[in-house]
Amino acid sequence: MNLLAQQLVNGLFIGSVYGLFAVGYTLVFGVLDILNLAHAAVFTLGGLVALWLVQTAGMSIWLAFPLATLFAGLLGLLLNQVAFAPLRKRADSQFSGLISSIAMAIIFEAVAMGLFGARSVRFPQGTVSVHIWHIAGVTITSLQVGIVLVAALLMVVLTLFIQRTRIGKAIRAVAESERAAMLLGVNVNGIIASTFLISSALGGAAGILYGLYFDALAPDMGRSIELKGLAVIILGGMGSIPGAILGGLAFGLSEVLTVAITGTSNLRDAVAFTVLFAILLIRPSGLLGRGKMREA
Amino acid sequence: MLEVAGLTVSYGPIEAVREISLRVTEGTVVSLVGPNGAGKSTTLNALSGVVPAARGRILFQGRDITHLSPHQRVSQGIVQIPEGRLVLAGMTVRENLEMGAYRRPASEFKAGIAAVEARFPILAERRNALAGTLSGGEQQMLAIARGLMARPKLLLLDEPSLGLAPLLVKTIFDIVGELRSGGQTILLVEQNARQALLVSSHAYVMENGKIVLEGPAQQLMSDPAVISTYLGQALDAPASVA
């Protein structure tokens, strides 16, 4: 029983990181109907840059975290400018954007490899002072709690931002209809750039939390989360922010429960993706999808 | 207020609008009528900056705006209420109105909302409903109200009566009439030429991307060529101008 409770808690921790990664992913999709396949590479660079700031520049993680998040956001602007904006007028921009984002992902990964080496690296000991609590037989560390809190905070702030603020509403307007937004006086290109900035900043933040959680960072760490992130946003409903949060948690939980029940981690990914498959059979538009089906 | 000279708009090799010139005087309603595909909506979209002008000049309040972006034109006071309404279906009625005031200072917002809700009580009633759940007529009201939230100096109204039941068509034209009485400058595009001419002081007739006729609306309404081509039998009783 304790093992199960422990795994549920672990699922919550990793699920919150998946959720944070996925909200950024789904945000761009919701606005542009484009999958930004370089999102995982931004995730990686966010983590590695934070590590560099802590290790080489000697910063505290409390300063390195926001700086690396900001850096990831700037990478998003670059992505938009290089990989998406030049193609926007094309009739096939969804597909061509997808391809050019893959190219950017490869470039980012190569840059990460060149700057930080191919080996797996970790944050220096003592980056975050860790307390360990034992509650009813479940072990929780302050690091884990911090990760959940930061991820939750960022997701709540994002949700409020999108719901309440002027720019948030403009982002939703562009997501609904670029033409309508344009006629209302929205600077559509500016809003798209802001969307990339926010999306990538969240992706970078997720990368830092992931690196702290697993105590390992590598130039190819994005690959492990890339497919999962895609699964999470499909699970939650493409373009839905609450869906991505919920999907992230569901995915994290199904992963750890698989490990708890089968006793090995061999089946972890298989079961998680089977859950995805099963949910899509019942709800083709995802948990919170709007049921809008795209014509072929 | 608005002066268009030699405006040409091309979609690839096709010139949808060819060398048109028109003028809208402040405080008047001017209509642009003509058959489907004549280039009326394209003209409005060029005025909004949604499609680029291939040639020609657009002057607004004496300023050349030919190369301004759409949002800059909204800031200048040129606001289009598009054909098909384009309400933001997944946002509430209130949020749609907020988006209408996107380029206006926040301090104006309360008064603006009060004004449009007084004019369109249904929008106050359905304030928190998603715009996509409104009926076609209500959506058209919302689109007009949203346009007014931008405090337009020049309102570009594209086919406001399209797809509406006859009673609603009358309501919409009543609204246009009220706006005119309030001194709102409007450039109105309509296939319903008869109704459009009734609320306008001046009109242009477009065909195949060109302006083929123009004149005071009264005069066009009594032009036999206009009657036979655009007004059909509908003008048998011109005395019913009310």
Side-chain angles (χ1 to χ4, degrees), chain A residues 137-160:
Chain A
V138 176
T139 306
I140 299 174
T141 70
S142 54
L143 175 67
Q144 291 172 320
V145 174
I147 285 169
V148 171
L149 287 181
V150 169
L153 178 73
L154 288 174
M155 289 189 277
V156 167
V157 167
L158 175 72
T159 305
L160 290 176

Side-chain angles (χ1 to χ4, degrees), chain A residues 39-63:
Chain A
H39 194 60
V42 172
F43 164 90
T44 306
L45 277 174
L48 287 171
V49 165
L51 173 66
W52 184 86
L53 289 174
V54 169
Q55 199 165 44
T56 311
M59 280 182 197
S60 120
I61 187 70
W62 304 106
L63 184 58

Side-chain angles (χ1 to χ4, degrees), chain A residues 33-111:
Chain A
D33 284 352
I34 284 179
L35 271 180
N36 169 19
L37 288 182
H39 194 60
V42 172
F43 164 90
T44 306
L45 277 174
L48 287 171
V49 165
L51 173 66
W52 184 86
L53 289 174
V54 169
Q55 199 165 44
T56 311
M59 280 182 197
S60 120
I61 187 70
W62 304 106
L63 184 58
F65 184 87
L67 280 181
T69 299
L70 179 67
F71 175 80
L74 297 178
L75 284 181
L77 288 183
L78 179 74
L79 253 176
N80 175 43
Q81 214 55 42
V82 174
F84 294 102
L87 301 169
R88 199 155 292 140
K89 295 275 177 218
R90 290 171 58 123
D92 63 352
S93 69
Q94 288 172 349
F95 187 65
S96 54
L98 188 81
I99 301 296
S100 64
S101 72
I102 294 175
M104 289 301 282
I106 294 170
I107 293 168
F108 283 166
E109 205 175 294
V111 168

Side-chain angles (χ1 to χ4, degrees), chain A residues 183, chain B residues 48 73-74 77-81 147 150-152 154-157:
Chain A
L183 290 174
Chain B
S48 283
R73 296 189 204 202
V74 173
I78 302 180
V79 177
Q80 184 186 150
I81 299 174
R151 296 262 186 111
L154 169 65
L155 190 61
L156 307 174
L157 203 45

Side-chain angles (χ1 to χ4, degrees), chain B residues 142-159:
Chain B
L142 176 57
I144 293 174
R146 188 177 63 179
L148 295 176
M149 288 297 293
R151 296 262 186 111
K153 291 187 180 121
L154 169 65
L155 190 61
L156 307 174
L157 203 45
D158 195 357
E159 303 275 9

